[in-house]
Amino acid sequence: MKMLNENDVLSTQDMSLTATLCYFNYKIVGVDRREDSSKVYFLIEREKGLDETIRAFWSHTLKVEPLAYFNCLKEVKTRLYST
């Protein structure tokens, strides 16, 4: 198993972004529950093209197949509530 350091991982609280990245085959490597608050962060492995995909997400230029996206959203929620 490859050891990841902080620079190898994107940390986000955004469930929609996380589901979109999952849809585009980026790996969710963990869920970080902060002990000092109720905040939860999804940890995504940084891979080639990640930043471009995030920019496209925020500029509303990505296209997804709705049922596949919904399944990714269910997977993200499962990861959130099972940890």
Side-chain angles (χ1 to χ4, degrees):
M1 175 183 235
K2 179 169 93 170
M3 295 298 294
L4 300 174
N5 65 45
E6 197 172 294
N7 294 329
D8 295 332
V9 175
L10 166 75
S11 177
T12 182
Q13 289 183 279
D14 193 303
M15 191 177 299
S16 298
L17 175 60
T18 302
T20 300
L21 295 175
C22 178
Y23 174 87
F24 284 101
N25 297 314
Y26 292 97
K27 295 178 193 126
I28 303 170
V29 294
V31 177
D32 182 15
R33 294 187 182 278
R34 304 287 163 96
E35 291 181 22
D36 56 340
S37 73
S38 61
K39 295 182 180 181
V40 176
Y41 293 84
F42 297 99
L43 307 175
I44 312 295
E45 185 175 354
R46 287 196 174 276
E47 296 180 35
K48 183 178 180 178
L50 177 66
D51 292 330
E52 292 81 13
T53 304
I54 293 170
R55 276 193 284 280
F57 173 85
W58 290 114
S59 66
H60 305 271
T61 58
L62 290 176
K63 303 282 187 222
V64 298
E65 192 280 311
L67 186 55
Y69 172 80
F70 180 71
N71 287 331
C72 289
L73 185 58
K74 288 193 317 187
E75 179 182 335
V76 168
K77 287 181 178 180
T78 297
R79 297 281 300 261
L80 174 64
Y81 297 119
S82 68
T83 57

